[in-house]
Amino acid sequence: MDPHVVFDCQDVVPNRFALTVAAAARARALIHGAQPRLDLPDAGATSLALHEIAAGAFRQDELTPFLSGSARPARLPAPNPKSTELRGGGASTTAAAGPSASPEAVH
């Protein structure tokens, strides 16, 4: 990965954390079959996603959820209930646990 690509990406998405989320979302979309916007046959999904962002291959409204101060925040999809099952026992987990009723010491 050429570090200059990341610097070029920061011209488009100045916040590094937002850039990470945007690039991860695009790489995930590429892995799941989205059409590439650049012709880089030897690039992996992550590298291609960063190159696309750096090249300005996205409209402003596509990047708005990842920019600070945007009107609508970026949302992650809800977790798939089937993917939260434990492998061994088949019991499912919950996303958040409430406070414990009994005071137990944590060591």
Side-chain angles (χ1 to χ4, degrees), residues 49-84:
L50 288 170
H51 278 283
E52 288 178 346
I53 293 170
F58 297 98
R59 295 185 316 265
Q60 187 66 26
D61 65 323
E62 292 175 310
L63 292 174
T64 298
F66 303 104
L67 300 175
S68 62
S70 66
R72 62 179 183 150
R75 302 262 184 215
L76 296 177
N80 183 354
K82 292 182 180 180
S83 67
T84 59

Side-chain angles (χ1 to χ4, degrees), residues 2-85:
D2 183 9
H4 297 330
V5 172
V6 176
F7 294 132
D8 293 341
C9 287
Q10 286 182 312
D11 291 339
V12 178
V13 182
N15 184 317
R16 287 184 183 202
F17 299 107
L19 174 60
T20 302
V21 173
R26 179 60 181 161
R28 198 173 303 114
L30 289 167
I31 289 170
H32 287 92
Q35 291 298 317
R37 296 184 179 192
L38 296 177
D39 186 26
L40 298 173
D42 294 333
T46 305
S47 180
L48 181 57
L50 288 170
H51 278 283
E52 288 178 346
I53 293 170
F58 297 98
R59 295 185 316 265
Q60 187 66 26
D61 65 323
E62 292 175 310
L63 292 174
T64 298
F66 303 104
L67 300 175
S68 62
S70 66
R72 62 179 183 150
R75 302 262 184 215
L76 296 177
N80 183 354
K82 292 182 180 180
S83 67
T84 59
E85 293 182 8

